[in-house]
Amino acid sequence: MKKWSHAWLAFMAVKRLEDKKQDLNETDLKHVESLISWFMSHKDGVAQGAWFPDELIKDMADKHVLKFAPADKAPAGTVSIPPEKLRALPSEYLIFRYGKDSPVRHQAFNVVDKNDNLPDRCESLAEAVVDQLKVQEYEDKGSPVSPTDNQVALWLFMLSHYIADAHVPVHCDGRQFSKGKNIHGMLEKAWDDEIKKYYRLNKQKTRFLYNIEGYPAPARDFTSDKAYQQSFLKAVADELDKRKFDSSFGKDNKNVWDFMNAVCHNSYLISYRFFPPGYGPDNVTSKNWKDLAPPPGFTLYQLSTAVLADAIDSISRVWFRVWRRYETWEKKKKNKLESID
């Protein structure tokens, strides 16, 4: 994804937590309120921080992807995964629902390159955020080894970047859609252009302009703008509005690594639904790329709604669980110290 898409997804993940407070028990509500308050104190760094993986670190070749191919199309020597080992996502996820009708759903599939490690990157960043918060709590204020809030925020924003990338179908598809007409770039540009069209940006300071609640300010009146009513951004908002917030990672997904593998598996499936078997960088063009799926079809509107809504949901789940894990540790530490006193 591109810069403004990554920043917007991070903001919408926090907004999702705020909008769904009624779904939380008393303990989880306290964690969410704490996370939202902390985020709002650091939100000016979202666009820049979430973009560092592409702009500065540039580890796109392996840490932003986990690419698969049907077993009969995969390079020799790669490990085959039987279809029954495909990881499930929470049932409300659109990429999970759409993936059930993928033409490769019941075929074995292989990891194309053993060096691809997007789930590992997400797991390591999630652990790093918790660890840094623990060090910050443990060390005296001003300690030279204690991370600052801005450093913790940077890691959290970078984490959202990699989580979002797992939802991009072409990041999980062994066909090289960055080559040829760069369909990969066209797809991500379509999302970024839509966000820039409907939200107010301060490009000089690399951030959104904010509404009174502190979230990206709309560039139009969403309630009356007819074009927005037809946008996939409106469909994303509607989809998330009807979903309850649930912090589960889905059946048998015990940690961030499991969860991101599940996302990548299902992103691979919907990529083959949008770009059916037989298509690749040599025959997908700037003219036909949006209309390749056979009846009943699978449109760019549907794909975009699924990718963006599920990415927002995933970021909110991972961030919430990371934050809850730290605050649970912090509470136990304080209780232990109080019992000693």
Side-chain angles (χ1 to χ4, degrees), residues 52-317:
F52 269 167
D54 277 12
E55 183 179 51
L56 176 65
I57 300 172
K58 297 184 183 296
D59 53 356
M60 288 81 82
D62 50 13
K63 293 180 175 60
H64 296 240
V65 298
L66 180 58
K67 294 191 174 186
F68 302 101
D72 60 346
K73 303 292 184 183
T78 53
V79 178
S80 184
I81 304 169
E84 60 269 20
K85 294 294 184 180
L86 188 143
R87 287 187 175 273
L89 285 169
S91 60
E92 61 269 28
Y93 269 48
L94 291 178
I95 61 173
F96 178 63
R97 295 183 191 177
Y98 287 140
K100 290 181 178 180
D101 294 322
S102 172
V104 296
R105 172 63 181 82
H106 300 291
Q107 298 178 27
F109 59 105
N110 294 27
V111 177
V112 173
D113 188 336
K114 65 180 181 180
N115 294 313
D116 290 354
N117 60 8
L118 190 158
D120 303 77
R121 185 65 158 150
C122 292
E123 177 70 27
S124 65
L125 282 168
E127 293 291 329
V129 171
V130 175
D131 291 346
Q132 287 192 76
L133 287 166
K134 286 181 176 180
V135 172
Q136 194 179 60
E137 171 65 24
Y138 180 81
E139 287 291 307
D140 293 333
K141 188 174 182 179
S143 166
V145 299
S146 180
T148 66
D149 275 356
N150 286 335
Q151 288 170 325
V152 177
L154 173 59
W155 287 82
L156 199 65
F157 302 154
M158 286 173 56
L159 172 58
S160 72
H161 180 119
Y162 292 98
I163 294 171
D165 276 358
H167 295 74
V168 180
V170 291
H171 281 228
C172 304
D173 188 332
R175 295 172 290 180
Q176 299 296 318
F177 284 112
S178 295
K179 297 181 179 179
K181 298 296 183 180
N182 189 19
I183 303 304
H184 183 159
M186 290 183 188
L187 176 61
E188 295 184 338
K189 184 177 184 298
W191 298 331
D192 219 55
D193 286 349
E194 198 79 348
I195 290 165
K196 290 187 288 186
K197 179 179 178 181
Y198 288 108
Y199 288 88
R200 298 176 64 195
L201 312 177
N202 185 332
K203 293 184 179 180
Q204 186 177 9
K205 294 186 177 180
T206 319
R207 66 174 180 83
F208 288 101
L209 297 177
Y210 307 128
N211 62 16
I212 194 170
E213 289 84 18
Y215 295 103
R220 311 179 184 194
D221 181 355
F222 284 173
T223 59
S224 61
D225 188 87
K226 292 182 179 179
Y228 177 76
Q229 297 301 315
Q230 303 301 315
S231 170
F232 55 75
L233 295 184
K234 174 65 163 58
V236 169
D238 290 345
E239 171 63 26
L240 292 174
D241 185 57
K242 68 184 182 184
R243 287 189 199 180
K244 286 189 173 183
F245 177 74
D246 185 344
S247 63
S248 167
F249 286 162
K251 184 181 179 182
D252 298 327
N253 299 322
K254 299 178 181 179
N255 50 42
V256 173
W257 189 89
D258 288 343
F259 186 34
M260 289 300 102
N261 268 284
V263 170
C264 290
H265 287 183
N266 287 273
S267 291
Y268 154 73
L269 292 182
I270 65 167
S271 186
Y272 267 87
R273 187 167 174 190
F274 192 71
F275 302 113
Y279 286 98
D282 295 332
N283 59 359
V284 177
T285 70
S286 57
K287 293 183 179 180
N288 70 5
W289 73 277
K290 298 178 183 179
D291 303 295
L292 297 173
F298 187 47
T299 66
L300 177 61
Y301 181 94
Q302 291 173 297
L303 178 78
S304 301
T305 303
V307 168
L308 298 178
D310 289 351
I312 291 167
D313 205 348
S314 293
I315 295 168
S316 69
R317 292 177 193 230

Side-chain angles (χ1 to χ4, degrees), residues 29-63:
L29 178 59
K30 290 179 180 179
H31 294 310
V32 162
E33 289 177 337
S34 170
L35 173 57
I36 292 171
S37 176
W38 190 91
F39 174 87
M40 286 299 173
S41 297
H42 301 87
K43 64 180 184 287
D44 285 354
V46 173
Q48 186 177 11
W51 190 236
F52 269 167
D54 277 12
E55 183 179 51
L56 176 65
I57 300 172
K58 297 184 183 296
D59 53 356
M60 288 81 82
D62 50 13
K63 293 180 175 60

